[in-house]
C-alpha cells in the first residue's frame, strides 16, 4: 500500500498533514502541537523544557517521535537534544523528510522497530 506524495515545494505543514493522515490510517494515535503567531512571533504554548520538542508523537503498540523537515531545514540543537533524550529512553526517534517516505511507511506499517 504505497502512498505517493508530492515533494516539489512541499511545506512543512503540508508534509506534517500527510504524515499524520498516513499514521491515522495505520491505526496510530497522533499528537502534533501547532505554533501560533503572537505579537512576539511564532510560539507554541508549553511549560517546562518544551523548546525543540519533536513535531509528532505517535502511539500504537510502541511510541515513535519524529521531527519533520522540508527543503534545506535542519534540526536545531534543542530538537536534536529532545530526539537524543527520547532515544536514550528507548523511544524510536526520527528526523523525517519527504524523500524518506518509503522509510516512513515502513515504520508506520510495522508493529516493531
Amino acid at each position: 500500500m504505497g502512498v505517493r506524495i508530492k515533494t516539489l515545494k512541499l511545506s512543512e505543514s503540508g508534509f506534517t498533514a500527510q504524515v499524520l493522515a498516513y499514521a491515522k490510517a495505520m491505526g496510530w494515535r497522533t499528537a502534533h502541537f501547532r505554533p501560533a503567531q503572537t505579537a512576539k512571533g511564532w510560539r507554541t504554548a508549553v511549560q517546562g523544557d518544551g523548546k525543540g520538542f519533536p513535531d509528532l508523537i505517535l502511539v500504537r503498540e510502541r511510541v515513535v517521535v519524529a521531527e519533520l523537515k522540508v527543503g534545506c531545514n535542519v534540526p536545531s540543537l534543542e530538537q536534536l537534544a529532545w530526539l537524543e533524550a527520547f532515544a536514550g529512553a528507548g523511544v524510536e526517534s526520527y528526523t523525517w523528510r519527504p524523500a524518506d517516505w518509503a522509510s516512513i511507511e515502513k515504520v508506520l506499517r510495522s508493529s516493531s522497530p
Side-chain angles (χ1 to χ4, degrees):
M1 178 173 152
V3 175
R4 298 182 68 85
I5 65 169
K6 296 178 182 177
T7 58
L8 291 174
K9 298 184 181 182
L10 183 64
S11 68
E12 192 163 309
S13 63
F15 181 42
T16 300
Q18 289 178 332
V19 174
L20 284 170
Y22 189 75
K24 291 296 280 182
M26 295 292 103
W28 292 83
R29 291 189 54 86
T30 64
H32 170 66
F33 305 99
R34 296 180 306 163
Q37 191 165 21
T38 69
K40 295 182 179 182
W42 288 93
R43 302 284 189 263
T44 303
V46 65
Q47 286 184 295
D49 298 322
K51 188 172 183 183
F53 196 78
D55 289 319
L56 300 179
I57 305 295
L58 309 170
V59 180
R60 200 168 67 181
E61 64 282 341
R62 63 193 204 275
V63 177
V64 170
V65 297
E67 182 61 37
L68 305 180
K69 295 295 177 189
V70 298
C72 297
N73 294 339
V74 297
S76 68
L77 293 176
E78 292 90 351
Q79 290 167 333
L80 291 172
W82 269 110
L83 292 172
E84 290 172 8
F86 274 113
V91 175
E92 289 177 67
S93 304
Y94 301 95
T95 299
W96 284 335
R97 298 179 170 281
D100 300 323
W101 192 256
S103 296
I104 294 167
E105 283 185 327
K106 184 178 179 182
V107 168
L108 297 181
R109 279 193 319 261
S110 173
S111 59
S112 62

